[in-house]
Amino acid sequence: MFQNYIGGEWVDGERAQDDINPSDTGDVVGQYAVANQEQATAAISAAAAAFGAWSSTTPQQRADALDRIGSEILARQAELGDLLAREEGKTTPEARGEVGRAGQIFKFFAGEALRTAGELIPSVRPGVTVDVTREPIGVVALITPWNFPIAIPSWKIAPALAYGNTVVFKPADPTPGCAWALAEIISRAGLPAGAFNLVMGRGSEIGPALVDDRRVAGVSFTGSIATGHSIAQACAARLAKCQLEMGGKNPLVVVDDADVELAANVAVQGAFYSAGQRCTASSRLIVTEGIHDRFVDAVVARMARLTIDDARQEGTDIGPVIHDGQLAQNLDYVQIGRNEGAHLVRGGERLERRTPGFYMAPALFTEASNSMRTSREEIFGPVASVIRVRNYDEALAVANDTPMGLVAGIATSSLKYAAHFKRHADAGMVMVNLPTAGVDFHVPFGGRKASSYGPREQGRYAAEFYTTVKTAYTFAG
């Protein structure tokens, strides 16, 4: 059994659970310990006890530890990529790419540990100097989703440790394998006992212990809007910091002057790859009427060439969805779209393959409206709706008409439209002639409205969450 990691020791949970391969439900990846609330509290105690030692290490010591972690992740990219594809259902190329990104994140923040700077500011008073510095906030609880089981933990853990915080890490229940593998690497990186802790289990069981404990100075969460709201309320009640990433209903605008084939490829990659299980997926395809029919034909032709099969099989474009509950939800939304009057032009059915798994044909609706549930609610599966509009102005208005605002994309050959869209799209990130899904590791990630709350993740902007500013005055006489 793969154990939890608390206070520098590997410990059993109160029970174990099987990690099932969604490409082959007869394949058990491993048995993983399930922590209880008492163990979550013990992990917080260990992190609190280790904070003094870890936060007082030199930037070079922290940089060296993170660099070792990043180097090992990159050296084991093929092995860890296979694990990721096996337990989450991403194709092997996508899985290896995610592992590579995780290694790069740790190496980036190894550098950031050395680049943490302050300011020396002259005071308005004679003989007084002012120092402005950043310090770690303390113990942080990091709660991550299953769809990027090594990249998202990495972009939370790496900056937390780089800036001198101690960590209690709770991964998503369906994907403990990548989390455990990452924790095992970190356990050998030279951190003091308790500086990093892993507690696996259901959020409903151990989440409250992490969120409500007053020793936890900050909570960084990626997941559903409903859970994010409850975390925000709990943190506000005790004035703790929180950072929330909660999903998207992202638009891809296609205007008349777009390259049709480029737009179709961007749409298919953004909407359907990774089985649509990305908060950055473009599930609303907003298309001006002059290109609408040609665009739909190109997308359908591109979908016809997709191979949906075992994630680790060579040539697979899209693997299974994560589990039976997600598959049932996806199929329910396909029926909802039909009932609301959208036209299902391709896909939307469960598929049978050589091995038993949670396979689904990507679904494309046309004749959709922006008021339909399939256009308002995050499905988190390979389901996209084409919304026909008159012109660019209407397209922009429809794109912004959503309670969420993570990422927005546009396919166009016009610099005028591209520049205007970048400025006026009501989203935290904008893509021009690129899939909405796919971001770099060294720049800020986050959205607006119901998609995000709190400081941005990744890049140098991560310091806004994981550090606090101190202003110190000195009178020299």
Side-chain angles (χ1 to χ4, degrees):
M1 181 175 68
F2 296 91
Q3 299 168 301
N4 294 297
Y5 187 64
I6 300 172
E9 301 289 337
W10 294 101
V11 297
D12 291 334
E14 63 176 11
R15 65 183 189 280
Q17 69 175 17
D18 291 341
D19 183 10
I20 302 298
N21 178 355
S23 293
D24 179 0
T25 57
D27 176 30
V28 177
V29 178
Q31 287 193 320
Y32 290 83
V34 177
N36 56 31
Q37 288 196 18
E38 290 74 21
Q39 289 176 312
T41 300
I44 295 169
S45 297
F51 177 69
W54 180 244
S55 62
S56 63
T57 54
T58 67
Q60 187 65 62
Q61 289 172 305
R62 297 195 297 275
D64 289 345
L66 293 179
D67 189 65
R68 284 192 290 271
I69 296 167
S71 293
E72 181 167 348
I73 292 170
L74 293 174
R76 296 171 59 187
Q77 188 169 1
E79 169 203 346
L80 295 173
D82 184 71
L83 170 63
L84 199 162
R86 185 180 173 202
E87 81 159 351
E88 196 271 346
K90 276 190 177 73
T91 64
T92 296
E94 286 182 305
R96 289 181 178 177
E98 181 179 335
V99 172
R101 180 176 175 183
Q104 291 165 337
I105 288 167
F106 273 97
K107 284 185 167 290
F108 174 84
F109 281 106
E112 287 299 281
L114 296 169
R115 287 190 289 265
T116 303
E119 295 178 276
L120 177 63
I121 302 173
S123 173
V124 297
R125 293 171 288 174
V128 175
T129 58
V130 184
D131 299 302
V132 181
T133 55
R134 288 189 175 274
E135 297 182 353
I137 62 173
V139 178
V140 292
L142 309 179
I143 303 172
T144 62
W146 49 260
N147 61 325
F148 285 88
I150 195 166
I152 291 180
S154 295
W155 85 46
K156 294 180 188 292
I157 294 167
L161 295 176
Y163 297 121
N165 302 281
T166 53
V167 169
V168 179
F169 167 41
K170 196 214 84 65
D173 195 42
T175 51
C178 286
W180 189 93
L182 178 59
E184 196 277 330
I185 292 171
I186 295 172
S187 74
R188 294 182 282 100
L191 279 63
F196 171 84
N197 304 272
L198 168 71
V199 287
M200 298 178 287
R202 294 191 63 81
S204 59
E205 296 177 11
I206 63 177
L210 301 178
V211 172
D212 295 334
D213 197 305
R214 292 190 174 275
R215 294 172 296 175
V216 176
V219 179
S220 181
F221 165 81
T222 300
S224 71
I225 291 175
T227 302
H229 282 193
S230 66
I231 289 174
Q233 291 168 356
C235 288
R238 59 184 186 85
L239 302 181
K241 294 181 79 171
C242 69
Q243 179 185 62
L244 310 174
E245 292 297 338
M246 299 174 288
K249 194 65 182 176
N250 309 298
L252 172 67
V253 168
V254 181
V255 295
D256 286 353
D257 65 13
D259 180 303
V260 173
E261 290 302 321
L262 182 148
N265 285 331
V266 164
V268 169
Q269 289 186 36
F272 302 133
Y273 275 58
S274 298
Q277 297 174 148
R278 300 182 285 196
C279 58
T280 53
S282 44
S283 55
R284 292 186 300 142
L285 308 176
I286 302 166
V287 186
T288 55
E289 57 188 3
I291 198 174
H292 178 277
D293 293 350
R294 288 180 293 136
F295 170 78
V296 171
D297 289 345
V299 170
V300 170
R302 181 71 181 84
M303 292 173 68
R305 299 194 295 271
L306 294 173
T307 298
I308 297 91
D309 211 325
D310 189 309
R312 296 191 291 167
Q313 180 173 297
E314 186 176 354
T316 295
D317 296 304
I318 298 171
V321 303
I322 184 67
H323 49 55
D324 55 354
Q326 185 65 51
L327 177 59
Q329 177 176 294
N330 295 346
L331 297 176
D332 284 347
Y333 269 107
V334 171
Q335 189 58 50
I336 288 168
R338 283 172 158 167
N339 293 344
E340 289 185 313
H343 176 52
L344 183 64
V345 294
R346 186 173 181 88
E349 70 274 12
R350 181 168 189 166
L351 300 174
E352 298 296 330
R353 292 295 181 259
R354 180 180 56 84
T355 53
F358 308 117
Y359 299 104
M360 176 181 173
L364 182 70
F365 284 104
T366 59
E367 308 309 319
S369 74
N370 203 48
S371 62
M372 293 177 176
R373 285 183 61 190
T374 49
S375 301
R376 308 300 293 180
E377 300 171 10
E378 185 176 35
I379 299 171
F380 221 66
V383 181
S385 299
V386 179
I387 302 170
R388 187 196 303 257
V389 294
R390 293 184 304 274
N391 52 35
Y392 168 77
D393 290 337
E394 185 181 359
L396 177 62
V398 171
N400 287 338
D401 180 16
T402 172
M404 290 170 267
L406 182 56
V407 60
I410 186 170
T412 180
S413 61
S414 166
L415 289 176
K416 174 185 174 182
Y417 286 146
H420 190 274
F421 191 80
K422 286 192 290 185
R423 171 63 183 84
H424 294 281
D426 195 5
M429 299 176 289
V430 177
M431 304 291 187
V432 178
N433 294 325
L434 290 166
T436 55
V439 296
D440 290 348
F441 64 86
H442 65 304
V443 296
F445 178 97
R448 299 179 180 178
K449 299 187 281 189
S451 288
S452 302
Y453 181 82
R456 290 287 189 262
E457 297 197 273
Q458 297 200 121
R460 293 186 175 183
Y461 284 76
E464 298 300 323
F465 178 73
Y466 292 103
T467 66
T468 186
V469 171
K470 177 178 284 184
T471 305
Y473 293 84
T474 302
F475 177 58

